[in-house]
Amino acid sequence: MPAATREGGDKPVTKRKRPENGEPSKKRRKSGEGVDNDLASQIQVLESEILESKKHYNNIATLIEIAAKQEDDTEAALTAAGALGRVFVRLLASGSLVRRQDASEKDATVTAWLRDRFAGYKAVLLSKFKTNGPALKALMLAMAVLKAEAQHLDGRDEATFPQSYFKKIINALIQSPFEELRQAFYDNFIVEYDDIRFYTFQAIADILTEDDQPEDETFRSSVFGLLLRIEDVPGSNEELSDFYVDPPAKKKHPLYLLSQHKKQAQEAWLAFINLGLSKEQRKKILQIMATSIAPWFTKPELFMDFLTDCYNSGGSISLLALSGVFYLIQERNLDYPLFYRKLYSLLDADILHSKHRSRFFRLLDIFLSSSHLPAVLVASFIKRLARLSLNAPPSAIAVIVPWYYNLFKKHPLCTFMMHRVPRTKEEKELVESEGVLDPFLPEEEDPMETRALDSCLWEIVQLQSHYHPNIATIAKIISEQFTKQSYNLEDFLDHSYGSLLEAEMIKNIRKAPVVEYMIPKHIFTEVGPTAAPEEKNSLLVSLWDFGPS
């Protein structure tokens, strides 16, 4: 191996003695014949020669060329990449790539050349992330090389995590068109190793804050998908014990501190949110905010502006932001002005038809559970939902009525609304003949000014005549004695048209329903304009044949 390299070339300058007759050596000719006949065999020979002697280091450049340019034969490219991986791992372990101060000029040149080839090989691996087939093996090789580099490249006794190369891996991973590759990286590395998760967050934050980052939606979607996968938050510093690279000896290193792991996750999420979110991304973040994202934050109050903007936007975004706002109120004592007024405004015509209805009722039950709330405020929510229930699907009414029951038990002053409902025959006849003026103000935005407490729940009386027998039965519990302590809302939240229909289909029928057993002869008869009255009534007579006997 010579001590100099050609300027701008990949291979060191090599001086060979040619035979006196000017013909190429027979040994080289046989090697050339091997390339043509069996490329895999040639790769194996090139690898073994490199490991045998330094004079064959030029084979490294040949293998890199095969791995990079063998587009028609991906198997050969992967074979060459695997051979190079084994070569560089051995060279790293032997210290051949370590820069030494006492090295001769020749050895320093060889070391520099090997490090350049090593960088070229890593670039080839990252380029494979965009090729279907070799991408997964290229990822595994890149991570294996990263581990060897961390342990041996600097020649120190303590391993040093190669953050620069890992950042390139994450960048290539994000820009890869294959979602399966990112899933494989998550399953094999992020879930398994705490240091990989730590540096993944750090790399994402660095990539997203660079000026030359891609601005296309695919890039952001890939970043978003990778961040969404990282959900499980360690519980304490003691749980940070699984490391891909040998951990540092210093116990105060950030890798051993949960607060530093959370800080990296916080920076990554904030960097992504600051890029601007699509409507679907915003909804997804709000759905998992309280359970999967906020626990990663050392300062969840940094989400305050984001959550309040979403909460004030209205519609389904407000419903989804409600859990995040509640998390900040509960965990960080967020002071949200006019919170119940905004919550009251969410009770519109669409709330009971929303797919997020169950989520909303769980939170609404928490917000109105305090016995310190004014009865006027609670009555406004009861009355607004009672009015909305008149046009609600049966599955929603099945939740509202037990929810009423629980609120009446917690807020006894609101039971006046229930007692004003006409119950006796005389009261009902009076209402039917003269009517009644409902003092409730449905257009009032302030729940403290709706006069709901002065109203009555006549809407519940209407629900007691609902077309669905189960809903009518549930609605009647408001008219009975309150002997039950409370209802578990979870038993009612997941009802739908399908579940209600299934319950009817599997119900045991104690008494068979009465049906018509006489087969009618006809349904309609021809009746002319000059026909006698008895003939005109024949239509009603024939239709009556279908009625009960």
Side-chain angles (χ1 to χ4, degrees):
M1 185 74 189
T5 58
R6 292 192 185 96
E7 184 177 357
D10 287 339
K11 299 182 180 180
V13 177
T14 305
K15 297 181 180 179
R16 298 189 181 93
K17 293 183 179 180
R18 298 182 64 84
E20 296 180 357
N21 57 6
E23 296 179 0
S25 64
K26 295 181 179 179
K27 185 175 181 179
R28 293 292 298 174
R29 184 170 60 250
K30 289 182 179 180
S31 177
E33 291 173 357
V35 173
D36 296 333
N37 295 333
D38 191 352
L39 188 55
S41 299
Q42 183 203 10
I43 293 172
Q44 185 177 2
V45 170
L46 292 173
E47 178 187 358
S48 60
E49 288 180 350
I50 295 170
L51 300 177
E52 288 175 1
S53 174
K54 293 182 179 180
K55 66 181 182 180
H56 297 295
Y57 277 179
N58 281 334
N59 293 352
I60 295 176
T62 304
L63 288 174
I64 292 176
E65 184 178 355
I66 296 174
K69 297 183 178 180
Q70 196 67 29
E71 299 178 357
D72 297 333
D73 192 350
T74 56
E75 290 297 327
L78 289 177
T79 302
L84 284 167
R86 292 187 293 271
V87 166
F88 279 115
V89 168
R90 289 199 180 187
L91 291 176
L92 286 166
S94 64
S96 299
L97 275 72
V98 177
R99 294 192 180 99
R100 305 184 187 278
Q101 295 181 354
D102 57 348
S104 63
E105 182 180 354
K106 178 180 178 181
D107 291 340
T109 303
V110 172
T111 300
W113 185 86
L114 287 174
R115 292 173 76 98
D116 289 341
R117 302 291 76 71
F118 183 52
Y121 169 62
K122 292 189 294 184
V124 169
L125 289 179
L126 298 182
S127 67
K128 299 293 182 184
F129 285 16
K130 296 183 179 181
T131 306
N132 191 16
L136 182 58
K137 185 172 182 180
L139 172 63
M140 297 304 175
L141 286 172
M143 293 302 294
V145 168
L146 177 135
K147 186 173 185 178
E149 178 181 344
Q151 295 173 344
H152 305 294
L153 185 61
D154 292 336
R156 301 176 182 176
D157 296 335
E158 184 177 318
T160 303
F161 197 93
Q163 299 181 33
S164 177
Y165 178 46
F166 186 72
K167 178 181 174 181
K168 294 179 180 178
I169 292 178
I170 297 299
N171 196 13
L173 194 68
I174 292 172
Q175 299 191 43
S176 173
F178 308 113
E179 192 66 28
E180 298 81 4
L181 187 65
R182 287 182 283 275
Q183 184 64 43
F185 179 75
Y186 172 78
D187 294 335
N188 292 283
F189 299 102
I190 294 180
V191 172
E192 299 293 333
Y193 304 106
D194 296 316
D195 55 344
I196 296 296
R197 183 184 60 241
F198 178 91
Y199 289 113
T200 298
F201 279 131
Q202 185 183 81
I204 290 176
D206 292 341
I207 292 170
L208 295 181
T209 53
E210 292 177 349
D211 296 333
D212 57 345
Q213 61 165 304
E215 297 183 358
D216 58 291
E217 189 61 32
T218 303
F219 174 82
R220 296 186 181 185
S221 298
S222 299
V223 175
F224 187 50
L226 189 58
L227 286 174
L228 287 178
R229 289 184 172 93
I230 311 176
E231 296 180 341
D232 298 330
V233 184
S236 62
N237 293 340
E238 288 72 20
E239 295 184 17
L240 302 174
S241 57
D242 298 321
F243 299 101
Y244 185 65
V245 175
D246 292 343
K250 186 179 179 181
K251 292 302 181 182
K252 292 185 178 181
H253 192 277
L255 286 176
Y256 294 111
L257 302 176
L258 178 59
S259 60
Q260 294 298 318
H261 283 253
K262 289 187 175 183
K263 182 181 179 181
Q264 298 300 329
Q266 175 178 288
E267 295 299 325
W269 272 110
L270 289 177
F272 178 75
I273 291 176
N274 290 336
L275 292 179
L277 303 174
S278 65
K279 185 176 181 180
E280 293 302 320
Q281 290 172 346
R282 189 179 296 265
K283 285 185 176 181
K284 186 62 178 178
I285 287 179
L286 293 174
Q287 285 178 351
I288 64 173
M289 172 68 71
T291 57
S292 302
I293 300 179
W296 275 113
F297 274 52
T298 57
K299 296 181 179 180
E301 55 270 21
L302 293 175
F303 267 127
M304 190 177 301
D305 292 339
F306 172 74
L307 286 173
T308 51
D309 289 343
C310 292
Y311 190 47
N312 293 331
S313 63
S316 60
I317 297 293
S318 293
L319 294 180
L320 295 174
L322 192 59
S323 59
V325 172
F326 172 66
Y327 178 87
L328 292 182
I329 292 175
Q330 186 181 41
E331 300 294 332
R332 297 293 172 170
N333 296 322
L334 171 66
D335 184 15
Y336 189 94
L338 303 177
F339 173 76
Y340 283 96
R341 181 169 181 169
K342 178 60 182 178
L343 182 64
Y344 184 72
S345 69
L346 296 181
L347 299 177
D348 56 17
D350 298 327
I351 186 65
L352 298 181
H353 299 268
S354 172
K355 64 179 181 180
H356 307 296
R357 181 183 63 221
S358 299
R359 181 193 189 102
F360 175 75
F361 268 102
R362 288 187 180 97
L363 293 171
L364 186 63
D365 186 51
I366 295 173
F367 294 144
L368 298 179
S369 61
S370 175
S371 58
H372 299 288
L373 292 175
V376 175
L377 177 71
V378 178
S380 295
F381 283 87
I382 293 176
K383 184 62 177 180
R384 173 69 74 91
L385 277 175
R387 190 64 60 85
L388 294 175
S389 65
L390 296 176
N391 295 318
S395 55
I397 302 174
V399 182
I400 293 175
V401 178
W403 181 73
Y404 283 161
Y405 186 99
N406 294 346
L407 278 185
F408 286 138
K409 295 286 286 187
K410 295 175 183 176
H411 305 276
L413 289 178
C414 294
T415 56
F416 288 108
M417 304 172 64
M418 183 173 52
H419 296 321
R420 293 192 186 96
V421 175
R423 299 179 183 277
T424 64
K425 182 178 180 181
E426 293 76 11
E427 291 177 344
K428 292 181 178 180
E429 290 178 352
L430 181 63
V431 170
E432 290 177 358
S433 60
E434 299 182 7
V436 62
L437 180 62
D438 192 344
F440 175 65
L441 304 176
E443 302 300 327
E444 176 60 48
E445 297 179 356
D446 188 354
M448 299 294 292
E449 303 293 338
T450 60
R451 300 180 61 187
L453 195 59
D454 298 330
S455 179
C456 65
L457 294 179
W458 59 266
E459 297 90 348
I460 300 299
V461 178
Q462 299 300 315
L463 295 179
Q464 293 174 355
S465 302
H466 197 274
Y467 70 88
H468 197 292
N470 289 351
I471 300 303
T473 302
I474 292 176
K476 290 177 183 178
I477 67 175
I478 300 297
S479 301
E480 300 172 355
Q481 291 186 356
F482 281 27
T483 57
K484 190 178 180 66
Q485 182 64 28
S486 65
Y487 284 93
N488 184 10
L489 284 186
E490 294 297 329
D491 297 337
F492 303 92
L493 286 174
D494 295 327
H495 277 304
S496 62
Y497 280 112
S499 62
L500 293 174
L501 180 61
E502 183 179 359
E504 289 295 322
M505 297 294 290
I506 63 176
K507 183 185 295 185
N508 293 327
I509 302 177
R510 298 179 181 179
K511 182 180 179 180
V514 178
V515 296
E516 176 62 54
Y517 61 91
M518 296 180 60
I519 301 177
K521 298 180 180 179
H522 54 271
I523 299 177
F524 299 103
T525 57
E526 294 183 1
V527 180
T530 59
E534 59 272 11
E535 293 179 352
K536 293 182 179 180
N537 291 334
S538 63
L539 174 60
L540 299 177
V541 173
S542 61
L543 288 176
W544 181 252
D545 290 339
F546 285 99
S549 58

